[in-house]
Amino acid sequence: MSKVEIILGNNIDKMKLMQDESVDLVVTSPPYDDLRNYDETLNWNFDVFKRVADELYRVMKKGGVIVWVVADKTKNGSESGTSFRQALYFQEIGFNIHDTMIYKKLNYVPLTHNRYEQEFEYMFCFSKGKPKTFNPIKIPCKYAGQETWGNSSFYKTDSDELTNVGKKKINDEKIKGNIFEYRTGSVTGSGKFKHPAMFPLELAKDQVKSWSNPGDIVMDPFCGSGTVGVACRELERDFIGIEIDEKYHKMATERIYLDF
């Protein structure tokens, strides 16, 4: 059975107590600018973010991955761009921006803006060097088993020339694209947990499966309602969650153990 530790306190202080290079994977969703105050416990700005990122770099194992689910607030008609600043800072301190994934909400809420409705958030995947684990989710190929036309050209080389791949049989499966779609909110069964910013359990499970193996240590330094912990218990990963708000710490603890 997986080990679970849910820590109450400031994540910077608590990570300082952890050993160097002790975490295999982080799946987390930090505060989005200042959109919520989380019961007045939130002390969040770019300087605080940098301290969190620095500690994350220290505790991540070589080849470890951080999945950073984030979006930006809109103020005075402009998105803040904080998510991009964060991504570039992770790169500055030594992480690779391994993939910029998209979390698309199938049942997004129309907000009647004078622009197209916001239906996605970023899932930045940062790696400390080359990822040591990748268990890709695969999907069926639409034309599995069929053969391409002979002497077809599919893509360009660095010299901008089309590459001829010849006749080829299409595989049964292919690696899923990096736009992941989920239904959100009470339709996913999360409605009984009163947290203002829960992401879908299936999102957590997909990312945990992709970048870790059973027995690995997965951390969520913004534990919230404990979604990543539930995924880890189900998938037999050890879990460390850190949450500063007593109410959500209690919620996460109850939820993780309630489901098992």
Side-chain angles (χ1 to χ4, degrees), residues 37 95 98 100 140-141 143 156 162 170-171 174 187 189 192 209 213 219:
N37 61 27
F95 284 103
H98 183 68
T100 302
C141 291
Y143 300 105
K156 292 187 176 182
L162 289 172
I170 298 174
N171 294 330
K174 62 182 178 181
V187 296
K192 59 185 175 181
K209 285 186 290 188
N213 294 314
M219 182 171 71

Side-chain angles (χ1 to χ4, degrees), residues 33 72-75 77-82 84 115 118 122:
D33 291 304
D72 298 305
K73 75 173 182 179
T74 298
K75 184 177 180 180
S78 177
E79 294 183 355
S80 67
T82 301
F84 299 113
R115 60 176 185 172
Q118 187 68 32
Y122 296 105

Side-chain angles (χ1 to χ4, degrees), residues 16-32:
K16 286 183 181 297
L17 303 176
M18 297 172 60
Q19 294 182 351
D20 294 355
E21 299 185 355
S22 57
V23 175
D24 296 285
L25 170 66
V26 166
V27 179
T28 195
S29 184
Y32 298 0

Side-chain angles (χ1 to χ4, degrees), residues 31-40 42 44 195-198 248:
Y32 298 0
D33 291 304
D34 57 358
L35 291 176
R36 296 183 175 90
N37 61 27
Y38 297 97
D39 294 335
E40 306 298 335
L42 181 61
W44 187 245
H195 188 279
M198 294 176 64
Y248 297 135

Side-chain angles (χ1 to χ4, degrees), residues 14 21 32 35 42 88 97 101 151 188 213 239:
K14 298 305 180 181
E21 299 185 355
Y32 298 0
L35 291 176
L42 181 61
L88 292 173
I97 304 177
M101 300 182 66
N151 299 322
T188 66
N213 294 314
F239 176 69

Side-chain angles (χ1 to χ4, degrees), residues 247-260:
K247 179 174 69 177
Y248 297 135
H249 176 267
K250 182 174 184 292
M251 179 188 299
T253 302
E254 291 177 351
R255 183 182 177 200
I256 291 170
Y257 287 102
L258 177 66
D259 286 357
F260 290 88

Side-chain angles (χ1 to χ4, degrees), residues 40-205:
E40 306 298 335
T41 61
L42 181 61
N43 176 24
W44 187 245
N45 54 48
F46 200 74
D47 288 334
V48 175
F49 154 74
K50 290 195 292 185
R51 294 169 62 198
V52 170
D54 291 345
E55 283 302 312
L56 286 173
Y57 188 83
R58 183 184 64 80
V59 302
M60 294 301 298
K61 293 181 181 179
K62 290 182 174 64
V65 169
I66 295 175
V67 179
W68 191 258
V69 184
V70 69
D72 298 305
K73 75 173 182 179
T74 298
K75 184 177 180 180
N76 297 327
S78 177
E79 294 183 355
S80 67
T82 301
S83 59
F84 299 113
R85 293 180 64 206
Q86 291 176 350
L88 292 173
Y89 184 77
F90 273 114
Q91 186 182 58
E92 182 181 324
I93 62 176
F95 284 103
N96 295 333
I97 304 177
H98 183 68
D99 196 358
T100 302
M101 300 182 66
I102 296 294
Y103 151 35
K104 179 180 178 181
K105 303 175 184 179
L106 292 172
N107 55 333
Y108 65 89
V109 178
L111 297 175
T112 61
H113 287 143
N114 61 342
R115 60 176 185 172
Y116 294 106
E117 298 294 353
Q118 187 68 32
E119 63 175 334
F120 77 91
E121 297 178 9
Y122 296 105
M123 295 191 294
F124 290 106
C125 294
F126 306 115
S127 62
K128 193 171 181 178
K130 180 181 178 180
K132 59 186 177 64
T133 301
F134 180 45
N135 305 310
I137 298 170
K138 295 189 176 182
I139 59 175
C141 291
K142 184 175 182 179
Y143 300 105
Q146 297 185 24
E147 290 187 342
T148 61
W149 292 101
N151 299 322
S152 296
S153 296
F154 281 91
Y155 54 90
K156 292 187 176 182
T157 64
D158 291 341
S159 63
D160 209 32
E161 296 177 353
L162 289 172
T163 298
N164 191 308
V165 298
K167 202 169 185 179
K168 181 181 178 182
K169 186 175 181 179
I170 298 174
N171 294 330
D172 292 337
E173 293 183 318
K174 62 182 178 181
I175 295 177
K176 180 178 172 65
N178 63 358
I179 299 176
F180 283 21
E181 300 179 334
Y182 304 98
R183 291 178 67 79
T184 63
S186 59
V187 296
T188 66
S190 63
K192 59 185 175 181
F193 301 104
K194 305 300 182 184
H195 188 279
M198 294 176 64
F199 54 55
L201 176 59
E202 290 304 313
L203 182 157
K205 288 166 63 176

